[in-house]
Amino acid sequence: MPQNKIDPWSSIEITDYEHVFEKFGLDRFPDNYKKKLKHIFFERNIIVAHRDFDKVMARISSKKPFINMTGIASSGYLHLGHKVDIDLFIHFKSLGAKNYFAVSDIDAYNSREKIKTMKDAKELAVNNLAHALALGLSEKDCYVQSKKDQRYYEFTFEIAKKITKNMYEAIYGHTDLGKIQAVLLQIADIIHPQLPEYEGKMPSVTGIGLEQDPHAKITRDVARRLSYNIEIPSFIYFKHQSGLQKGKKMSSSEPDTAIFLEDKPDEVKRKLSKAFTGGRDTIDEQKEKGGNPDICKIYEIYRFHHPDSKFVETTYKNCKKGLLMCGDDKQTCINFLNDFLKKHQAKVKEKLPAAKKIIFN
Amino acid sequence: MPQNKIDPWSSIEITDYEHVFEKFGLDRFPDNYKKKLKHIFFERNIIVAHRDFDKVMARISSKKPFINMTGIASSGYLHLGHKVDIDLFIHFKSLGAKNYFAVSDIDAYNSREKIKTMKDAKELAVNNLAHALALGLSEKDCYVQSKKDQRYYEFTFEIAKKITKNMYEAIYGHTDLGKIQAVLLQIADIIHPQLPEYEGKMPSVTGIGLEQDPHAKITRDVARRLSYNIEIPSFIYFKHQSGLQKGKKMSSSEPDTAIFLEDKPDEVKRKLSKAFTGGRDTIDEQKEKGGNPDICKIYEIYRFHHPDSKFVETTYKNCKKGLLMCGDDKQTCINFLNDFLKKHQAKVKEKLPAAKKIIFN
């Protein structure tokens, strides 16, 4: 059986990553870990690599706690790409983690030109936090940078002393003050849970995209230089869900590249209707040669977000076999997303007052 | 009467400063302000220049509150030079100010190589704070950076966004991360009292040395760029008390250049005995030609610290006239300082538990 040809969880890009892993010094995410971690992101090859994850895996296997840390820099409204971060975080939470989900309002203010005031950053943070709560986080899993305690802030200053100018410039190629502050916060976010005032020394995991590896490296360097007794933080790397158009990334500044968690049904319909599928020019040709799910944006939505692996596999195979037409598939996906978003948006509405209270009280 | 010759409050250095004022864009401190401000530092030409002090003077004249802000980066034990900062601060306090005295432990940690951990910085801060309290500050006049509230820290991040890399490098000539953090804290220290969460918009004054003017300029630039409704902070510039040896500055890293507020009587005696006076080679010559108080380190101690202007003037004149021998003068000064330090050190001992509680609780 030509397995490569009909594996719905393979993709051209993953094989392309191999040389990147080697260059960066990353380890490919092991198959036996994928099986043990029992989540669509592992099953479907969305998590592709890691740095030092073995010690976290050992904690999970022996049912000991570990630190689960991620964050969202609230530069705009959340889209399906952010949902991947949050879904992964929630999965680690279910595996017995100590949870640190950062709503990174100060980071967003410092790193994004378009956010002009801290007040704007905080208003976005309210929205982002409400979405995170609606996706399944509880209030105690989350913190907002601008509401953090003194120890956290003090720690950002301790971190600054451990980063030389040369080390910083080699990684980031700039020394813009606002962006330096954002980096200091990101490093503090990842390491601070291991300070004696929080959990103490404990393996920690943070999921990031491959292009964020420089952050991981500087964070690990700083962790080594600090005088605290801590574990060097571990990272796992996911493949990003791409934009709805061919060759595009999902981007908050180009709303049509992504489905946002606040999109209304007609926006979802409009965006998916014109999404790239890689389908054939005619229905006859599609029936004869089959579709190309490996490059299809609709299939990609299923792969990242549809909970039913059986459904996703069947869709993949039917597409390949020419049994599924792009128009029908898009309609199925529109229904799937709108159904999800309707329920989700109702929960967001419920969570907004709590989010507002957390950030502005 | 050759007034220039026997004015105990003139000095060669002050006239030398004139071109510096012009170059920096500073204003000479006006004589009528000096009279109104009634303190030895004004009377004795220790305050030499200002930036934008008129609006603070207007508040003082109309008995309205103004912000009084200074700080000490606790890089070591305090010496008589630090006492000048604190004495000036206490004088403004007596004029009806809102007081913000920063014990700058995080700043010291970030800017000084020799302070290796925040714990070390905090231990020094306890010592420094106890001295400040013993000199006459009350607990509510002071804050310790590492114990400040969230709003203050958040503000340091807001400031970072208002400083471009070019602006920063033009002033400091480096982009060392730890030192950047120290600068951000210094700017926050000076501006934050005007945030709505503290006093709101209000003229503020900070006393600094001439060499610290770059800090004043960047602080005023940042204040202009922030979106808050605030007064651009004002600065007054003092002449530094010099080191005990000819051509030396007072320096914590060279203990014999300064009298420290913790010095024991025999140390004071030893240091003053070998201090530079500019006296003549022989007693006969001294009697004939008179001494040179304008360059004498003993006279300088009186000028900066002796409360009795009559005594200081008499000492100056007697020295000039050849009526005062350096040995006798040194003994008088040793007695004066040891008397002061004995009382001061007793108060420090009293204040230490409170200082410890503020910083470590």
Side-chain angles (χ1 to χ4, degrees):
Chain A
M1 196 172 80
Q3 182 64 37
N4 282 341
K5 279 283 165 203
I6 57 157
D7 177 5
W9 318 134
S10 82
S11 88
I12 339 167
E13 296 93 332
I14 286 190
T15 18
D16 282 359
Y17 286 152
E18 293 286 354
H19 76 281
V20 180
F21 296 168
E22 204 165 305
K23 191 175 137 201
F24 286 9
L26 302 179
D27 293 309
R28 193 178 176 134
F29 206 84
D31 287 338
N32 63 323
Y33 288 4
K34 289 181 186 173
K35 270 180 209 134
K36 283 185 191 164
L37 288 167
K38 292 189 200 309
H39 187 271
I40 63 166
F41 294 157
F42 298 100
E43 182 191 349
R44 300 179 188 176
N45 281 327
I46 285 163
I47 305 297
V48 291
H50 75 97
R51 262 189 205 284
D52 221 0
F53 184 70
D54 304 315
K55 58 189 176 187
V56 178
M57 194 64 218
R59 303 282 290 194
I60 294 172
S61 299
S62 59
K63 299 195 187 311
K64 283 185 185 150
F66 59 98
I67 290 158
N68 177 27
M69 197 286 133
T70 199
I72 285 186
S74 41
S75 65
Y77 296 116
L78 301 188
H79 53 54
L80 288 180
H82 298 111
K83 177 176 170 286
V84 172
D85 286 307
I86 298 170
D87 286 347
L88 180 63
F89 186 86
I90 290 172
H91 182 58
F92 279 124
K93 176 183 168 176
S94 77
L95 296 174
K98 305 283 186 184
N99 303 300
Y100 288 80
F101 183 86
V103 180
S104 305
D105 53 354
I106 306 184
D107 172 349
Y109 170 76
N110 273 137
S111 56
R112 317 281 176 158
E113 262 313 306
K114 68 172 177 178
I115 302 182
K116 298 297 181 197
T117 67
M118 265 308 299
K119 193 164 169 286
D120 292 349
K122 288 179 187 183
E123 271 160 15
L124 273 170
V126 169
N127 172 285
N128 292 182
L129 177 56
H131 279 278
L133 297 174
L135 286 171
L137 289 178
S138 70
E139 289 184 26
K140 70 175 181 34
D141 302 328
C142 306
Y143 67 90
V144 181
Q145 283 178 335
S146 72
K147 299 292 281 186
K148 263 294 232 188
D149 52 307
Q150 170 279 336
R151 184 65 188 97
Y152 167 81
Y153 288 108
E154 180 181 296
F155 190 48
T156 64
F157 289 90
E158 292 183 70
I159 289 166
K161 189 156 171 166
K162 301 297 174 187
I163 305 176
T164 65
K165 187 199 173 213
N166 289 344
M167 183 175 156
Y168 186 90
E169 280 193 334
I171 289 180
Y172 295 101
H174 70 82
T175 46
D176 175 86
L177 267 70
K179 288 186 183 136
I180 288 174
Q181 296 308 106
V183 168
L184 296 176
L185 287 166
Q186 287 157 14
I187 298 173
D189 284 329
I190 293 172
I191 305 179
H192 88 279
Q194 290 195 61
L195 291 177
E197 292 84 355
Y198 303 91
E199 311 297 339
K201 182 179 182 176
M202 192 182 284
S204 86
V205 63
T206 301
I208 60 176
L210 279 172
E211 83 291 353
Q212 292 177 298
D213 188 50
H215 290 302
K217 276 199 282 206
I218 200 169
T219 302
R220 288 168 55 88
D221 269 4
V222 167
R224 281 184 204 101
R225 285 161 187 246
L226 287 165
S227 52
Y228 298 104
N229 182 27
I230 52 176
E231 294 282 354
I232 308 305
S234 308
F235 292 86
I236 62 175
Y237 296 80
F238 49 76
K239 187 184 166 321
H240 280 299
Q241 185 180 352
S242 64
L244 294 173
Q245 289 84 45
K246 196 179 176 181
K248 286 268 186 186
K249 285 202 237 178
M250 282 196 286
S251 162
S252 301
S253 45
E254 286 183 84
D256 280 9
T257 58
I259 301 295
F260 287 81
L261 298 183
E262 303 229 321
D263 278 351
K264 294 298 156 213
D266 55 335
E267 288 169 292
V268 172
K269 188 176 175 182
R270 186 181 58 77
K271 288 181 184 180
L272 290 200
S273 298
K274 57 177 192 166
F276 175 76
T277 61
R280 308 295 171 178
D281 289 343
T282 64
I283 288 190
D284 285 346
E285 204 188 336
Q286 178 95 352
K287 283 183 182 170
E288 190 196 328
K289 300 184 181 165
N292 196 349
D294 289 320
I295 60 169
C296 173
K297 306 301 184 173
I298 303 298
Y299 175 71
E300 200 179 354
I301 291 173
Y302 295 144
R303 181 171 172 186
F304 278 83
H305 300 285
H306 203 294
D308 181 354
S309 290
K310 202 77 216 162
F311 165 82
V312 186
E313 281 185 47
T314 306
T315 300
Y316 185 88
K317 288 175 185 168
N318 286 344
C319 173
K320 279 272 190 188
K321 289 179 189 164
L323 301 173
L324 181 62
M325 298 303 109
C326 294
D328 297 338
D329 192 26
K330 282 181 170 179
Q331 192 52 57
T332 306
C333 191
I334 291 166
N335 294 344
F336 161 64
L337 278 184
N338 278 338
D339 186 48
F340 163 75
L341 289 175
K342 190 181 167 188
K343 287 175 199 154
H344 173 70
Q345 288 164 10
K347 285 184 221 157
V348 170
K349 211 173 161 184
E350 240 173 65
K351 300 292 184 185
L352 265 173
K356 203 164 190 168
K357 207 173 155 190
I358 289 169
I359 289 165
F360 283 107
N361 265 22
Chain B
M1 195 170 79
Q3 182 64 38
N4 283 343
K5 278 286 166 201
I6 58 155
D7 177 3
W9 318 135
S10 81
S11 88
I12 338 166
E13 295 92 333
I14 285 190
T15 17
D16 282 358
Y17 286 151
E18 293 286 355
H19 76 279
V20 180
F21 297 169
E22 204 164 305
K23 191 175 136 199
F24 286 9
L26 302 179
D27 293 310
R28 196 182 171 129
F29 206 84
D31 286 340
N32 63 324
Y33 287 4
K34 288 181 186 171
K35 270 179 209 134
K36 284 185 191 164
L37 289 168
K38 292 188 201 311
H39 187 271
I40 63 167
F41 294 156
F42 298 100
E43 181 191 348
R44 301 179 188 176
N45 282 328
I46 284 163
I47 305 297
V48 292
H50 76 97
R51 263 188 204 283
D52 221 0
F53 185 70
D54 304 315
K55 58 189 175 187
V56 178
M57 194 65 216
R59 303 282 291 193
I60 294 172
S61 300
S62 59
K63 299 195 189 310
K64 284 184 185 150
F66 58 98
I67 290 157
N68 178 26
M69 197 285 133
T70 199
I72 286 187
S74 41
S75 65
Y77 296 117
L78 301 187
H79 53 54
L80 289 179
H82 298 111
K83 176 176 170 287
V84 173
D85 286 306
I86 298 170
D87 286 347
L88 179 64
F89 186 85
I90 290 171
H91 182 58
F92 280 123
K93 174 182 168 175
S94 77
L95 297 173
K98 304 284 186 185
N99 304 300
Y100 287 79
F101 182 86
V103 180
S104 304
D105 54 353
I106 305 184
D107 173 348
Y109 169 76
N110 274 138
S111 57
R112 317 281 176 158
E113 262 313 306
K114 68 172 176 177
I115 302 181
K116 298 296 181 197
T117 66
M118 267 306 300
K119 193 165 169 284
D120 292 349
K122 288 180 185 182
E123 271 159 15
L124 273 169
V126 168
N127 172 285
N128 292 182
L129 177 56
H131 278 280
L133 296 174
L135 286 171
L137 290 178
S138 71
E139 289 183 27
K140 68 175 184 32
D141 302 329
C142 306
Y143 67 89
V144 181
Q145 283 177 336
S146 72
K147 301 290 283 186
K148 264 292 235 188
D149 52 307
Q150 171 279 337
R151 184 66 187 97
Y152 166 81
Y153 287 108
E154 180 181 297
F155 190 48
T156 64
F157 289 89
E158 292 183 71
I159 288 166
K161 188 156 171 167
K162 301 299 174 185
I163 306 175
T164 64
K165 187 199 173 209
N166 289 345
M167 182 175 159
Y168 187 89
E169 280 193 334
I171 290 180
Y172 296 100
H174 70 80
T175 45
D176 175 87
L177 267 69
K179 287 186 182 135
I180 288 174
Q181 296 308 106
V183 168
L184 296 176
L185 287 166
Q186 287 156 15
I187 298 173
D189 284 329
I190 294 171
I191 306 178
H192 87 279
Q194 291 194 61
L195 292 178
E197 292 84 355
Y198 302 90
E199 312 297 340
K201 183 178 182 176
M202 191 182 285
S204 86
V205 63
T206 301
I208 59 175
L210 278 172
E211 85 290 354
Q212 291 176 298
D213 188 50
H215 290 303
K217 276 199 282 204
I218 200 169
T219 302
R220 289 168 54 87
D221 269 5
V222 167
R224 281 184 204 101
R225 285 161 188 245
L226 286 165
S227 51
Y228 298 104
N229 181 26
I230 52 176
E231 295 282 355
I232 308 305
S234 306
F235 292 86
I236 63 175
Y237 297 79
F238 49 75
K239 187 183 165 322
H240 280 299
Q241 185 181 351
S242 63
L244 294 173
Q245 289 84 43
K246 195 178 178 183
K248 286 269 187 186
K249 285 202 235 177
M250 282 195 285
S251 163
S252 301
S253 45
E254 285 184 85
D256 280 9
T257 58
I259 302 295
F260 287 81
L261 299 182
E262 303 230 320
D263 277 352
K264 295 298 156 215
D266 55 336
E267 287 169 293
V268 171
K269 188 176 176 182
R270 186 181 58 77
K271 289 181 185 180
L272 289 199
S273 300
K274 56 177 193 166
F276 175 77
T277 62
R280 307 295 171 179
D281 289 342
T282 65
I283 287 190
D284 285 347
E285 203 188 337
Q286 177 96 351
K287 283 183 181 168
E288 191 195 328
K289 299 184 180 164
N292 195 350
D294 289 320
I295 60 168
C296 172
K297 307 300 184 176
I298 303 296
Y299 175 71
E300 201 180 354
I301 291 172
Y302 296 144
R303 181 170 173 187
F304 278 82
H305 301 284
H306 203 293
D308 180 355
S309 290
K310 202 77 215 161
F311 165 83
V312 187
E313 282 185 45
T314 307
T315 300
Y316 185 89
K317 288 175 184 167
N318 287 345
C319 173
K320 278 273 192 189
K321 289 179 189 162
L323 301 172
L324 181 61
M325 298 304 110
C326 295
D328 297 339
D329 193 25
K330 282 183 171 180
Q331 191 53 57
T332 307
C333 192
I334 290 166
N335 295 343
F336 161 65
L337 279 185
N338 278 339
D339 186 47
F340 163 76
L341 289 175
K342 189 182 167 188
K343 287 174 199 154
H344 173 71
Q345 288 164 9
K347 284 183 221 156
V348 171
K349 211 173 160 183
E350 239 173 65
K351 301 291 184 185
L352 265 174
K356 204 164 189 169
K357 206 172 154 189
I358 289 169
I359 291 165
F360 283 108
N361 268 20

